[in-house]
mmCIF file of all heavy atoms in Angstrom:
data_model
loop_
_atom_site.group_PDB
_atom_site.id
_atom_site.type_symbol
_atom_site.label_atom_id
_atom_site.label_comp_id
_atom_site.label_asym_id
_atom_site.label_seq_id
_atom_site.Cartn_x
_atom_site.Cartn_y
_atom_site.Cartn_z
ATOM 1 N N GLY Z 123 -60.579 76.197 95.060
ATOM 2 C CA GLY Z 123 -61.715 75.315 94.817
ATOM 3 C C GLY Z 123 -62.161 74.618 96.093
ATOM 4 O O GLY Z 123 -61.458 74.585 97.107
ATOM 5 N N TYR Z 124 -63.357 74.027 96.038
ATOM 6 C CA TYR Z 124 -63.871 73.299 97.189
ATOM 7 C C TYR Z 124 -64.896 72.262 96.741
ATOM 8 O O TYR Z 124 -65.467 72.338 95.641
ATOM 9 C CB TYR Z 124 -64.517 74.251 98.211
ATOM 10 C CG TYR Z 124 -65.780 74.928 97.727
ATOM 11 C CD1 TYR Z 124 -67.041 74.389 97.992
ATOM 12 C CD2 TYR Z 124 -65.722 76.118 97.014
ATOM 13 C CE1 TYR Z 124 -68.204 75.005 97.551
ATOM 14 C CE2 TYR Z 124 -66.875 76.753 96.569
ATOM 15 C CZ TYR Z 124 -68.115 76.192 96.834
ATOM 16 O OH TYR Z 124 -69.267 76.800 96.392
ATOM 17 N N LEU Z 125 -65.096 71.275 97.594
ATOM 18 C CA LEU Z 125 -66.165 70.285 97.467
ATOM 19 C C LEU Z 125 -67.081 70.438 98.666
ATOM 20 O O LEU Z 125 -66.617 70.685 99.784
ATOM 21 C CB LEU Z 125 -65.595 68.869 97.436
ATOM 22 C CG LEU Z 125 -64.686 68.492 96.263
ATOM 23 C CD1 LEU Z 125 -64.084 67.107 96.500
ATOM 24 C CD2 LEU Z 125 -65.464 68.522 94.958
ATOM 25 N N LEU Z 126 -68.374 70.259 98.451
ATOM 26 C CA LEU Z 126 -69.324 70.429 99.543
ATOM 27 C C LEU Z 126 -70.479 69.457 99.361
ATOM 28 O O LEU Z 126 -71.045 69.348 98.265
ATOM 29 C CB LEU Z 126 -69.861 71.869 99.549
ATOM 30 C CG LEU Z 126 -70.879 72.220 100.640
ATOM 31 C CD1 LEU Z 126 -70.242 72.144 102.019
ATOM 32 C CD2 LEU Z 126 -71.433 73.632 100.399
ATOM 33 N N LYS Z 127 -70.803 68.745 100.410
ATOM 34 C CA LYS Z 127 -71.990 67.888 100.425
ATOM 35 C C LYS Z 127 -72.790 68.208 101.675
ATOM 36 O O LYS Z 127 -72.287 68.099 102.796
ATOM 37 C CB LYS Z 127 -71.614 66.406 100.405
ATOM 38 C CG LYS Z 127 -72.852 65.496 100.394
ATOM 39 C CD LYS Z 127 -72.473 64.015 100.352
ATOM 40 C CE LYS Z 127 -73.726 63.135 100.372
ATOM 41 N NZ LYS Z 127 -73.385 61.698 100.345
ATOM 42 N N VAL Z 128 -74.049 68.615 101.469
ATOM 43 C CA VAL Z 128 -74.964 68.908 102.569
ATOM 44 C C VAL Z 128 -76.125 67.924 102.481
ATOM 45 O O VAL Z 128 -76.779 67.816 101.433
ATOM 46 C CB VAL Z 128 -75.502 70.352 102.482
ATOM 47 C CG1 VAL Z 128 -76.464 70.622 103.642
ATOM 48 C CG2 VAL Z 128 -74.365 71.362 102.493
ATOM 49 N N SER Z 129 -76.368 67.212 103.557
ATOM 50 C CA SER Z 129 -77.488 66.278 103.604
ATOM 51 C C SER Z 129 -78.093 66.315 104.993
ATOM 52 O O SER Z 129 -77.586 66.992 105.900
ATOM 53 C CB SER Z 129 -77.025 64.853 103.276
ATOM 54 O OG SER Z 129 -76.254 64.322 104.348
ATOM 55 N N ALA Z 130 -79.159 65.563 105.175
ATOM 56 C CA ALA Z 130 -79.795 65.504 106.486
ATOM 57 C C ALA Z 130 -78.876 64.891 107.534
ATOM 58 O O ALA Z 130 -79.079 65.077 108.746
ATOM 59 C CB ALA Z 130 -81.097 64.710 106.402
ATOM 60 N N ASP Z 131 -77.848 64.164 107.078
ATOM 61 C CA ASP Z 131 -76.926 63.509 108.015
ATOM 62 C C ASP Z 131 -75.761 64.390 108.426
ATOM 63 O O ASP Z 131 -75.011 64.037 109.336
ATOM 64 C CB ASP Z 131 -76.378 62.226 107.378
ATOM 65 C CG ASP Z 131 -77.477 61.207 107.100
ATOM 66 O OD1 ASP Z 131 -78.423 61.144 107.912
ATOM 67 O OD2 ASP Z 131 -77.401 60.509 106.065
ATOM 68 N N GLY Z 132 -75.575 65.525 107.747
ATOM 69 C CA GLY Z 132 -74.465 66.397 108.099
ATOM 70 C C GLY Z 132 -73.864 67.074 106.885
ATOM 71 O O GLY Z 132 -74.426 67.033 105.780
ATOM 72 N N VAL Z 133 -72.706 67.687 107.091
ATOM 73 C CA VAL Z 133 -72.028 68.456 106.042
ATOM 74 C C VAL Z 133 -70.572 68.039 105.985
ATOM 75 O O VAL Z 133 -69.901 67.914 107.020
ATOM 76 C CB VAL Z 133 -72.118 69.977 106.311
ATOM 77 C CG1 VAL Z 133 -71.339 70.756 105.253
ATOM 78 C CG2 VAL Z 133 -73.565 70.430 106.344
ATOM 79 N N GLU Z 134 -70.091 67.819 104.776
ATOM 80 C CA GLU Z 134 -68.664 67.596 104.554
ATOM 81 C C GLU Z 134 -68.198 68.639 103.545
ATOM 82 O O GLU Z 134 -68.675 68.666 102.403
ATOM 83 C CB GLU Z 134 -68.408 66.192 104.006
ATOM 84 C CG GLU Z 134 -68.635 65.078 104.998
ATOM 85 C CD GLU Z 134 -67.572 65.035 106.092
ATOM 86 O OE1 GLU Z 134 -66.453 65.566 105.858
ATOM 87 O OE2 GLU Z 134 -67.854 64.494 107.173
ATOM 88 N N GLY Z 135 -67.299 69.529 103.982
ATOM 89 C CA GLY Z 135 -66.733 70.531 103.096
ATOM 90 C C GLY Z 135 -65.229 70.462 103.127
ATOM 91 O O GLY Z 135 -64.627 70.341 104.205
ATOM 92 N N VAL Z 136 -64.606 70.510 101.963
ATOM 93 C CA VAL Z 136 -63.150 70.483 101.906
ATOM 94 C C VAL Z 136 -62.687 71.500 100.879
ATOM 95 O O VAL Z 136 -63.207 71.560 99.760
ATOM 96 C CB VAL Z 136 -62.620 69.064 101.583
ATOM 97 C CG1 VAL Z 136 -63.207 68.525 100.279
ATOM 98 C CG2 VAL Z 136 -61.094 69.055 101.509
ATOM 99 N N GLY Z 137 -61.738 72.319 101.280
ATOM 100 C CA GLY Z 137 -61.179 73.328 100.388
ATOM 101 C C GLY Z 137 -59.778 72.956 99.963
ATOM 102 O O GLY Z 137 -59.033 72.339 100.734
ATOM 103 N N ARG Z 138 -59.430 73.326 98.756
ATOM 104 C CA ARG Z 138 -58.057 73.089 98.296
ATOM 105 C C ARG Z 138 -57.073 73.851 99.168
ATOM 106 O O ARG Z 138 -55.946 73.409 99.403
ATOM 107 C CB ARG Z 138 -57.929 73.519 96.840
ATOM 108 C CG ARG Z 138 -56.522 73.509 96.286
ATOM 109 C CD ARG Z 138 -55.903 72.133 96.265
ATOM 110 N NE ARG Z 138 -56.554 71.262 95.304
ATOM 111 C CZ ARG Z 138 -56.195 69.995 95.096
ATOM 112 N NH1 ARG Z 138 -55.213 69.454 95.818
ATOM 113 N NH2 ARG Z 138 -56.837 69.261 94.211
ATOM 114 N N ASP Z 139 -57.484 75.022 99.644
ATOM 115 C CA ASP Z 139 -56.648 75.881 100.482
ATOM 116 C C ASP Z 139 -57.576 76.617 101.434
ATOM 117 O O ASP Z 139 -58.779 76.352 101.490
ATOM 118 C CB ASP Z 139 -55.824 76.847 99.613
ATOM 119 C CG ASP Z 139 -56.659 77.475 98.502
ATOM 120 O OD1 ASP Z 139 -57.866 77.698 98.728
ATOM 121 O OD2 ASP Z 139 -56.116 77.743 97.410
ATOM 122 N N ARG Z 140 -57.025 77.541 102.208
ATOM 123 C CA ARG Z 140 -57.847 78.256 103.186
ATOM 124 C C ARG Z 140 -58.969 79.044 102.509
ATOM 125 O O ARG Z 140 -60.087 79.113 103.016
ATOM 126 C CB ARG Z 140 -56.979 79.180 104.041
ATOM 127 C CG ARG Z 140 -56.100 78.433 105.028
ATOM 128 C CD ARG Z 140 -55.319 79.397 105.911
ATOM 129 N NE ARG Z 140 -54.504 78.689 106.870
ATOM 130 C CZ ARG Z 140 -54.925 78.252 108.058
ATOM 131 N NH1 ARG Z 140 -56.184 78.453 108.415
ATOM 132 N NH2 ARG Z 140 -54.111 77.615 108.878
ATOM 133 N N ARG Z 141 -58.645 79.656 101.390
ATOM 134 C CA ARG Z 141 -59.696 80.381 100.681
ATOM 135 C C ARG Z 141 -60.774 79.427 100.181
ATOM 136 O O ARG Z 141 -61.962 79.752 100.219
ATOM 137 C CB ARG Z 141 -59.100 81.157 99.506
ATOM 138 C CG ARG Z 141 -58.477 82.489 99.900
ATOM 139 C CD ARG Z 141 -58.046 83.258 98.678
ATOM 140 N NE ARG Z 141 -57.489 84.552 99.033
ATOM 141 C CZ ARG Z 141 -56.794 85.308 98.195
ATOM 142 N NH1 ARG Z 141 -56.579 84.895 96.947
ATOM 143 N NH2 ARG Z 141 -56.326 86.476 98.589
ATOM 144 N N GLY Z 142 -60.377 78.275 99.703
ATOM 145 C CA GLY Z 142 -61.363 77.305 99.249
ATOM 146 C C GLY Z 142 -62.316 76.912 100.357
ATOM 147 O O GLY Z 142 -63.536 76.820 100.160
ATOM 148 N N ALA Z 143 -61.777 76.661 101.557
ATOM 149 C CA ALA Z 143 -62.631 76.324 102.697
ATOM 150 C C ALA Z 143 -63.560 77.498 103.031
ATOM 151 O O ALA Z 143 -64.733 77.300 103.378
ATOM 152 C CB ALA Z 143 -61.767 75.968 103.907
ATOM 153 N N GLN Z 144 -63.051 78.704 102.927
ATOM 154 C CA GLN Z 144 -63.865 79.889 103.202
ATOM 155 C C GLN Z 144 -64.979 80.038 102.170
ATOM 156 O O GLN Z 144 -66.106 80.415 102.511
ATOM 157 C CB GLN Z 144 -62.974 81.128 103.215
ATOM 158 C CG GLN Z 144 -63.694 82.408 103.577
ATOM 159 C CD GLN Z 144 -62.712 83.526 103.867
ATOM 160 O OE1 GLN Z 144 -62.221 83.677 104.987
ATOM 161 N NE2 GLN Z 144 -62.414 84.321 102.855
ATOM 162 N N HIS Z 145 -64.681 79.722 100.911
ATOM 163 C CA HIS Z 145 -65.720 79.778 99.881
ATOM 164 C C HIS Z 145 -66.803 78.728 100.151
ATOM 165 O O HIS Z 145 -67.990 78.963 99.873
ATOM 166 C CB HIS Z 145 -65.114 79.555 98.493
ATOM 167 C CG HIS Z 145 -64.115 80.609 98.093
ATOM 168 N ND1 HIS Z 145 -64.234 81.913 98.471
ATOM 169 C CD2 HIS Z 145 -62.986 80.520 97.330
ATOM 170 C CE1 HIS Z 145 -63.210 82.602 97.971
ATOM 171 N NE2 HIS Z 145 -62.455 81.782 97.282
ATOM 172 N N ALA Z 146 -66.407 77.573 100.680
ATOM 173 C CA ALA Z 146 -67.408 76.570 101.046
ATOM 174 C C ALA Z 146 -68.345 77.120 102.111
ATOM 175 O O ALA Z 146 -69.563 76.915 102.059
ATOM 176 C CB ALA Z 146 -66.717 75.296 101.536
ATOM 177 N N VAL Z 147 -67.771 77.840 103.069
ATOM 178 C CA VAL Z 147 -68.584 78.461 104.111
ATOM 179 C C VAL Z 147 -69.569 79.467 103.506
ATOM 180 O O VAL Z 147 -70.749 79.502 103.864
ATOM 181 C CB VAL Z 147 -67.685 79.154 105.149
ATOM 182 C CG1 VAL Z 147 -68.509 80.054 106.070
ATOM 183 C CG2 VAL Z 147 -66.925 78.114 105.961
ATOM 184 N N ALA Z 148 -69.077 80.293 102.573
ATOM 185 C CA ALA Z 148 -69.941 81.292 101.943
ATOM 186 C C ALA Z 148 -71.128 80.621 101.242
ATOM 187 O O ALA Z 148 -72.258 81.129 101.285
ATOM 188 C CB ALA Z 148 -69.144 82.130 100.954
ATOM 189 N N THR Z 149 -70.877 79.488 100.620
ATOM 190 C CA THR Z 149 -71.962 78.753 99.966
ATOM 191 C C THR Z 149 -72.906 78.144 100.993
ATOM 192 O O THR Z 149 -74.138 78.185 100.825
ATOM 193 C CB THR Z 149 -71.377 77.653 99.069
ATOM 194 O OG1 THR Z 149 -70.606 78.258 98.025
ATOM 195 C CG2 THR Z 149 -72.473 76.804 98.442
ATOM 196 N N MET Z 150 -72.382 77.589 102.061
ATOM 197 C CA MET Z 150 -73.221 76.993 103.102
ATOM 198 C C MET Z 150 -74.169 78.025 103.696
ATOM 199 O O MET Z 150 -75.352 77.742 103.930
ATOM 200 C CB MET Z 150 -72.329 76.396 104.195
ATOM 201 C CG MET Z 150 -71.559 75.157 103.760
ATOM 202 S SD MET Z 150 -70.186 74.767 104.888
ATOM 203 C CE MET Z 150 -71.057 74.566 106.429
ATOM 204 N N VAL Z 151 -73.667 79.215 103.942
ATOM 205 C CA VAL Z 151 -74.508 80.266 104.514
ATOM 206 C C VAL Z 151 -75.659 80.600 103.566
ATOM 207 O O VAL Z 151 -76.799 80.833 103.994
ATOM 208 C CB VAL Z 151 -73.666 81.509 104.837
ATOM 209 C CG1 VAL Z 151 -74.550 82.686 105.216
ATOM 210 C CG2 VAL Z 151 -72.672 81.213 105.953
#
Side-chain angles (χ1 to χ4, degrees):
Y124 67 94
L125 296 173
L126 180 65
K127 181 179 179 181
V128 180
S129 72
D131 297 325
V133 177
E134 289 289 338
V136 56
R138 172 63 68 180
D139 44 33
R140 288 183 179 275
R141 278 186 178 166
Q144 184 168 274
H145 298 326
V147 168
T149 296
M150 290 164 58
V151 171

